[in-house]
Amino acid sequence: MKEPTKTLQLIYGALNDHFGDLHWWPGESSIEIIIGAILTQNTAWRNVEIAINRLGRQGLLDQKKLLCVKDEILEELIKPSGYYRIKAKRLKAFIHFLFEYYHGKLDDLFDNDIDVLRSQLLRVKGIGEETADSIILYAAEKPIFVVDAYTRRILERHSLIEQGLKYGDIQKYFMNHLPADVYLFKQYHGLIVNTGKTYCTKAAKCEMCPLQILIS
DNA sequence: CACCAGGCAAGTA
DNA sequence: TACTTGCATGGT
């Protein structure tokens, strides 16, 4: 692509006009956003919502409460989001990390510079690149671009990137050609996910997609 | 009823 | 480095 910046602006404009302001992933609290980021791994968000509601009803959207809750109880509560045994371990792994190094205080964790924060998160078993970046952007509210399956699919389908690029390469494609702005990155990622869900499934119609403008 | 959804880690070659 | 497999539920 000759002018990545122009292309990215064109896509953003088209999707933003179509979907409007998404207020994507507001979340009631930082810890709730982090819990959601882990529970949504390879899982539809609607199932995650059920699990989060069940946790909330028990007052467990709180790091101190999560620290104390038994694994079996946690597993039972998050079952609707799937992979419940491994995700219970991942939630616990993050909580233990938070208390071991930051006294359970998210604000202290978030005080780190963005690169330090990312490498810290990646050391937690169960937090990979996408989950780490989701936490940084939506919970810590620092400007980093989240790449997901839809991002890759949409860019590849429109031949804006070559196939088989690594996560970091796709992330750089956005971050090297857009201003580092938290709102922009949140909204852009939300627009991509909405587009993928609405127009790139087998059931939905490709020709209805706002990104048709890229083809003509 | 078959298939997949906003990944990740561990194992293998 | 690059590829494969296990993990598990609910919706379409």
Side-chain angles (χ1 to χ4, degrees), chain A residues 145-204:
Chain A
F145 204 90
V146 178
V147 176
D148 56 30
Y150 288 130
T151 312
R152 177 185 299 277
R153 192 185 308 168
I154 289 172
L155 292 185
E156 283 183 358
R157 196 165 289 188
H158 290 278
S159 302
L160 301 176
I161 58 170
E162 46 191 317
Q163 291 196 350
L165 287 186
K166 286 179 290 188
Y167 183 100
D169 296 326
I170 299 177
Q171 185 174 53
K172 282 178 193 163
Y173 179 78
F174 286 91
M175 296 188 68
N176 287 345
H177 303 294
L178 291 173
D181 179 78
V182 172
Y183 174 82
L184 173 65
F185 286 178
K186 283 183 180 179
Q187 177 71 2
Y188 212 142
H189 175 237
L191 290 170
I192 287 172
V193 173
N194 261 26
T195 304
K197 287 202 296 193
T198 310
Y199 298 109
C200 291
T201 62
K202 56 184 179 184

Side-chain angles (χ1 to χ4, degrees), chain A residues 19-66:
Chain A
F19 288 108
D21 196 346
L22 295 173
H23 298 290
W24 179 251
W25 212 340
E28 304 282 318
S29 63
S30 293
I31 190 66
E32 179 178 334
I33 292 170
I34 292 167
I35 292 166
I38 291 171
L39 294 184
T40 200
Q41 292 168 358
N42 205 39
T43 301
W45 180 255
R46 59 173 180 275
N47 293 335
V48 177
E49 278 189 312
I50 300 170
I52 287 180
N53 286 338
R54 287 159 65 97
L55 290 173
R57 217 169 298 133
Q58 304 298 320
L60 285 173
L61 298 176
D62 175 291
Q63 36 293 39
K64 288 178 187 166
K65 298 289 175 49
L66 278 177

